[in-house]
Amino acid sequence: MTMPTETTDWLLDGDPAVRWQVERDLLDAPDAVWQATRARVATEGFGAAQLAAQDPDGQWAGGAHFPAGWFDGGRPAEPGQPWTATSWSLNQLREWGVDAAALGDTAERLDRNCRWEYDDMPFWGGEVDVCINAFTLANGAWLGADVSRLVAWFPEHRLEDGGWNCEAEEGDSVRSSFHSTLNALRGMLSYEVFTGDTSLRDARHAGEEYLLRRRLLYRESTGERVGEFVDHFVYPARHQYSALTALDHFREAALVDGTAPDERIADAVELVRAARQPDGTWRQGAPLPGRTWLEVDAPEGEPSRWLTLIGTRVLDWADRG
């Protein structure tokens, strides 16, 4: 399906964080074009607003994964996880394509001033949660921090079935999780892209095989759909798994590894294709509840630039393969 011109124009009219990826991934624009747009992310729109919210000590909202005071009686009566603290803020800036240089000495300031809410552990060493450690691995590689502890941590904490589970560290599960495994994979891939170090590639491939054996959608034990979350397409997805987010990882991993799409992604591809509207857009799902710095996508039920970008490039990749 060829995207209507008006839909392409609508995508290009979005924030620079969206536009540069549309130029690169959907329009095959020359490098100089999309790189010039990408350079604007730090000084305009979403990226500039997120950078402006940074605390002088390098943190956001005064905390590592939660705002300052969240566990000290200052927790307000509001739904969901707040998305304003340091790890979530760094994730967004990195995913939007902000150049690490725009953050100056943030890595050093966080090393001095930021500790995890869990056991007061140093920020760049990570803690015990797989998803948090995946975010930290990727963000540290991007900013040039020492994440050597985490490079060793991921292979050591992979479960026997091939993936990871945030609950395993507390002894609550010995089975891998779709959510935790995908976050681990994305963190390891980002580490490889930013550093060129391939030492985590074997662990990543093993985790990818965990999802591929399940065709990105199903329980291996029963063949049933693993959960309603697989077709809950929303941006920002934060930590949550979906067929769309998983396929976007496999697309990027294939580009890095120089491989073709695995045939076991076919059902997930069709799930994403079925959600595409006649005008070539995807609709925003129910946002994950929680405090944010700013709104970066459409309201629920409205056409989403982010989902349309991701869905289109996923289908383009899968169909070419």
Side-chain angles (χ1 to χ4, degrees):
M1 174 180 175
T2 301
M3 183 180 292
T5 300
E6 56 267 28
T7 302
T8 302
D9 291 343
W10 168 73
L11 285 172
L12 290 171
D13 195 39
D15 189 90
V18 177
R19 180 176 178 128
W20 76 263
Q21 296 182 71
V22 172
E23 292 170 340
R24 184 192 65 179
D25 298 338
L26 305 188
L27 302 180
D28 295 321
D31 288 356
V33 171
W34 64 261
Q35 287 172 357
T37 305
R38 184 175 183 173
R40 294 165 46 201
V41 179
T43 58
E44 300 178 26
F46 302 155
Q50 192 78 45
L51 286 169
Q54 187 177 20
D55 301 331
D57 66 1
Q59 300 185 100
W60 277 261
H65 203 62
F66 294 86
W70 188 256
F71 297 106
D72 300 326
R75 181 173 179 172
E78 62 183 43
Q81 153 93 50
W83 312 113
T84 53
T86 302
S87 59
W88 302 111
S89 297
L90 289 176
N91 284 353
Q92 294 227 279
L93 290 167
R94 171 174 50 81
E95 291 171 3
W96 292 339
V98 172
D99 191 286
L103 284 90
D105 65 346
T106 289
E108 290 78 11
R109 282 184 284 161
L110 293 178
D111 192 45
R112 292 193 303 267
N113 303 315
C114 191
R115 312 284 292 193
W116 292 107
E117 290 80 11
Y118 182 92
D119 279 359
D120 199 38
M121 299 174 75
F123 188 78
W124 292 119
E127 43 129 287
V128 299
D129 182 280
V130 176
C131 299
I132 288 174
N133 285 353
F135 303 153
T136 308
L137 177 69
N139 290 330
W142 167 49
L143 295 180
D146 179 4
V147 289
S148 54
R149 176 184 177 273
L150 293 174
V151 174
W153 190 93
F154 277 91
E156 291 172 356
H157 289 77
R158 189 165 61 87
L159 300 175
E160 289 187 8
D161 59 8
W164 289 262
N165 191 327
C166 293
E167 297 180 354
E169 299 307 312
E170 302 295 336
D172 295 331
S173 179
V174 296
R175 293 184 297 178
S176 296
S177 152
F178 274 58
H179 303 283
S180 300
T181 298
L182 180 60
N183 285 317
L185 297 178
R186 297 179 74 192
M188 288 187 286
L189 182 62
S190 291
Y191 171 80
E192 181 174 337
V193 169
F194 284 119
T195 67
D197 180 5
T198 60
S199 61
L200 289 175
R201 186 173 284 190
D202 287 347
R204 171 168 63 83
H205 286 170
E208 288 165 351
E209 180 62 23
Y210 167 86
L211 294 177
L212 288 169
R213 287 200 312 271
R214 292 154 177 79
R215 292 177 286 159
L216 312 190
L217 301 176
Y218 307 114
R219 298 183 186 277
E220 193 171 40
S221 56
T222 64
E224 297 176 347
R225 185 78 67 84
V226 68
E228 295 181 358
F229 58 80
V230 295
D231 57 3
H232 176 208
F233 302 159
V234 62
Y235 188 88
R238 312 292 186 187
H239 58 82
Q240 184 161 292
Y241 184 99
S242 74
L244 179 60
T245 307
L247 284 168
D248 202 38
H249 165 77
F250 279 93
R251 178 195 65 85
E252 185 177 0
L255 295 175
V256 171
D257 293 341
T259 57
D262 191 289
E263 62 183 12
R264 291 171 289 180
I265 69 171
D267 287 3
V269 168
E270 293 312 308
L271 190 67
V272 169
R273 196 187 311 277
R276 182 170 56 184
Q277 302 300 304
D279 62 358
T281 65
W282 276 259
R283 304 291 182 181
Q284 175 76 300
L288 304 185
R291 190 190 315 172
T292 63
W293 287 112
L294 66 158
E295 295 300 321
V296 298
D297 205 357
E300 181 179 356
E302 295 297 315
S304 159
R305 284 189 174 92
W306 284 106
L307 296 181
T308 300
L309 160 68
I310 297 167
T312 303
R313 72 185 177 194
V314 159
L315 294 187
D316 284 352
W317 163 71
D319 291 345
R320 285 197 305 269

